[in-house]
Amino acid sequence: FIAKMTDFMEEGTIVSWLVAEGDHVDEGQPILEVETDKATAELDAPATGFIVAIRPGAVPGVVIPVGETIAYVVERLDEPVEALPPL
C-alpha cells in the first residue's frame, strides 16, 4: 500500500515500479518510486516474499491515496489473494 511519508501526505503519484509481479523481495527492499508534493521517494517491501496481484491501473503517472493497497507480498506464489479492483 501507499504509506504516509509525512504527516500531511494524502496521496502519491507512482513514478516507477522497481520490481515486477512474481519477483521475490526482501523486507525493506525498495519496490516502488512515489512522488509526493515535496519529493520523490522509494517505498519499501513491508515483508519478505513475492509480489503478486499488482492492482490494475497502478502504473506510472497514477495518483494513489495514502493507505490504498496496490499489490500483495505473499510467502508462496500459489498463495490465494483477493483480486484488487482497477483504479
Side-chain angles (χ1 to χ4, degrees):
F1 64 90
I2 297 292
K4 190 177 242 187
M5 293 183 262
T6 69
D7 289 340
F8 304 105
M9 183 180 167
E10 295 182 11
E11 61 188 20
T13 302
I14 295 174
V15 175
S16 66
W17 283 93
L18 304 175
V19 297
E21 194 159 323
D23 284 355
H24 185 271
V25 296
D26 293 314
E27 183 176 358
Q29 174 183 339
I31 60 171
L32 183 69
E33 288 183 315
V34 175
E35 182 179 345
T36 70
D37 58 340
K38 304 263 184 206
T40 298
E42 293 178 340
L43 294 182
D44 298 336
T48 296
F50 296 92
I51 298 288
V52 297
I54 292 177
R55 192 170 188 165
V59 297
V62 171
V63 176
I64 308 288
V66 166
E68 193 75 23
T69 301
I70 55 172
Y72 297 110
V73 178
V74 295
E75 290 183 12
R76 299 179 331 271
L77 282 174
D78 62 349
E79 188 174 328
V81 295
E82 182 179 326
L84 295 168
L87 291 170

